[in-house]
Amino acid sequence: ERNELCPTFASKYEIENLNFNFKNKEVIKNCSLTINFGEIIKIIGPSGSGKSTLLDVIAGILPPEKGKFIMDGKEFSPYLSRDFSSLVGYVPQFISLIDESLSYNITLEINPDKDKLWNAIRKSQLTKFVKNLAYGMDTRLGEGGEGISGGQRQRIGIARALYRKPSLLILDEVTSSLDNKTSSEIMNQIYSMRGEVSILFVTHNSNTLKADKTYLLNKGKLIRKNKI
């Protein structure tokens, strides 16, 4: 049961000696990572190295085998915390859209906070897109968001994460299916949030995407790389 309180995230989120097994196989082995508030961290590694799994454990979606989680000096469990999820905005590789209004697809609320919604739209660079829609924010997207480009879909996913005003934004290969120009636009928009929110992203595109700290995940082990 998720009933443990979560500390606030103002300074740093530390993960120590994290282990995760899947079907008796060690996927994550003694991984340690420190996320300072406001910085951008990149995790690279080959396909199948466990990058998405690592994100799911850090985000409190999967329970670890063992490991210590400390936020602003207080130990807690992201998996057992009832309010940790409110600190996290998670953008998966594929954004699911439903046959509802754009507003609902971003906020998942019938009566959203309009100020928060427009703030999320501005930060995810959707303003022009919204203004070109027949009914603006009330335009229905159709089943599965037919006709929405890959770049717009990812921006909607980012807006959905930002609507919650997270302290930690986690992005799982958000540019992997995009062309170079769109990928560059989306990453520039993410970089513009540096200092306001901590950003943790995984990518196989190790050279072009910069970060304050870079880690390599290989064979379940996390290794700190030189600044890239």
Side-chain angles (χ1 to χ4, degrees):
E1 189 184 346
R2 293 176 186 254
N3 58 11
E4 187 182 306
L5 287 172
C6 168
T8 53
F9 182 13
S11 176
K12 59 185 170 181
Y13 178 24
E14 298 164 276
I15 296 116
E16 295 178 2
N17 302 321
L18 186 63
N19 282 261
F20 181 83
N21 298 350
F22 180 69
K23 293 184 176 172
N24 296 327
K25 181 176 180 283
E26 268 193 318
V27 181
I28 306 292
K29 305 172 188 173
N30 285 330
C31 289
S32 295
L33 172 72
T34 296
I35 305 167
N36 293 311
F37 186 80
E39 74 180 350
I40 298 175
I41 293 179
K42 171 171 76 172
I43 296 175
I44 58 174
S47 290
S49 59
K51 297 188 300 292
S52 294
T53 302
L54 178 62
L55 289 190
D56 284 349
V57 179
I58 290 172
I61 296 166
L62 291 174
E65 229 59 49
K66 66 174 186 175
K68 206 170 176 183
F69 299 85
I70 304 159
M71 190 168 277
D72 288 0
K74 292 180 183 168
E75 195 173 338
F76 79 111
S77 162
Y79 185 72
L80 295 176
S81 165
R82 64 167 183 253
D83 51 1
F84 177 68
S85 62
S86 67
L87 296 182
V88 178
Y90 197 115
V91 185
Q93 197 167 346
F94 184 78
I95 308 299
S96 299
L97 300 176
I98 54 176
D99 187 12
E100 283 289 350
S101 67
L102 174 64
S103 167
Y104 189 83
N105 270 281
I106 291 172
T107 67
L108 307 178
E109 294 173 2
I110 294 165
N111 296 306
D113 181 315
K114 290 286 197 296
D115 288 341
K116 276 170 64 183
L117 175 53
W118 273 109
N119 185 47
I121 280 169
R122 275 193 299 273
K123 284 195 171 168
S124 52
Q125 295 180 355
L126 280 169
T127 311
K128 190 174 170 189
F129 172 70
V130 172
K131 289 187 171 164
N132 287 335
L133 292 173
Y135 301 102
M137 209 88 76
D138 298 322
T139 306
R140 288 180 84 98
L141 295 189
E143 198 60 52
E146 291 171 323
I148 303 283
S149 71
Q152 303 297 17
R153 185 182 285 273
Q154 290 304 84
R155 285 188 178 93
I156 290 168
I158 291 165
R160 187 184 287 170
L162 292 178
Y163 177 73
R164 303 166 62 171
K165 292 202 163 175
S167 301
L168 175 61
L169 186 60
I170 294 179
L171 307 135
D172 188 0
E173 294 276 17
V174 290
T175 61
S176 64
S177 58
L178 304 177
D179 61 74
N180 287 343
K181 181 175 180 289
T182 309
S183 169
S184 171
E185 285 171 0
I186 283 186
M187 286 314 297
N188 284 337
Q189 150 208 343
I190 287 161
Y191 294 139
S192 74
M193 291 183 266
R194 186 176 182 274
E196 294 174 44
V197 61
S198 303
I199 297 166
L200 174 66
F201 71 90
V202 303
T203 182
H204 62 278
N205 189 350
S206 60
N207 297 324
T208 57
L209 303 181
K210 54 189 184 295
D212 296 311
K213 287 195 295 218
T214 298
Y215 290 85
L216 168 69
L217 184 64
N218 196 16
K219 297 181 179 169
K221 300 208 167 166
L222 201 58
I223 303 147
R224 172 83 190 270
K225 304 288 281 179
N226 291 333
K227 192 171 177 178
I228 296 175

